[in-house]
Amino acid sequence: TTDPDKRWEYCDVANCGDTIALPTPPPTPSAEEIGCVYSSDTLQKDYRGSLAVTTSGRTCQRWDSQSPHSHSRTTANYPDSGLDENYCRNPDNEDSAWCYTTDPDKRFEYCDVPQCDETTRKARQLRGDFSKDK
């Protein structure tokens, strides 16, 4: 067990033929929910959405954390890069948005930021959200 006061406990093992309800994976967020980039932003430097998972599914490390990977990509060193939370960003002109991972064995990985389509662009223009149309 993970409880330091409990040395052992019984496991709930299903019997053959029992139906087991497997956990449902969370739905894939839409580009509208996590943000997107336009094809003109090839380096994704202007991406300010909330994607926080790499292409292989690793969780991104917070930019203000130095664990498990210490780094110099901080808001002090890159003040205009939007280094918020643990969101994918490209503060230093890499090939695309990326992040440090929470996996101690994998320092950083690129993120699969979705491309905006014409519908997204029109919806943003109707809302008056021009800041994301760079």
Side-chain angles (χ1 to χ4, degrees):
T1 75
T2 56
D3 183 345
D5 297 325
K6 194 169 207 175
R7 185 175 170 158
W8 67 273
E9 68 183 347
Y10 290 104
C11 296
D12 187 17
V13 179
N15 294 319
C16 290
D18 285 355
T19 303
I20 300 172
L22 297 174
T24 343
T28 304
S30 69
E32 190 64 26
E33 292 170 316
I34 60 171
C36 55
V37 291
Y38 295 104
S39 57
S40 60
D41 185 15
T42 55
L43 296 180
Q44 302 176 347
K45 287 190 63 61
D46 290 328
Y47 175 66
R48 294 297 182 268
S50 60
L51 180 64
V53 177
T54 68
T55 54
S56 72
R58 287 182 170 91
T59 301
C60 293
Q61 172 181 312
R62 289 182 59 92
W63 293 101
D64 59 0
S65 174
Q66 295 293 320
S67 177
H69 306 289
S70 59
H71 60 89
S72 63
R73 279 30 169 227
T74 62
T75 53
N77 293 337
Y78 296 85
D80 299 323
S81 295
L83 300 179
D84 303 318
E85 305 288 331
N86 63 334
Y87 303 143
C88 298
R89 297 290 186 257
N90 188 3
D92 54 359
N93 292 316
E94 283 287 330
D95 292 338
S96 65
W98 60 277
C99 67
Y100 293 105
T101 77
T102 56
D103 179 346
D105 297 322
K106 187 68 173 177
R107 183 168 171 78
F108 84 96
E109 278 189 335
Y110 291 105
C111 300
D112 191 13
V113 178
Q115 291 285 316
C116 298
D117 58 19
E118 192 58 30
T119 305
T120 305
R121 180 187 301 271
K122 288 179 182 175
R124 287 180 173 170
Q125 288 173 342
L126 287 172
R127 285 196 312 259
D129 186 3
F130 300 108
S131 63
K132 295 180 184 172
D133 283 342
K134 293 182 178 179

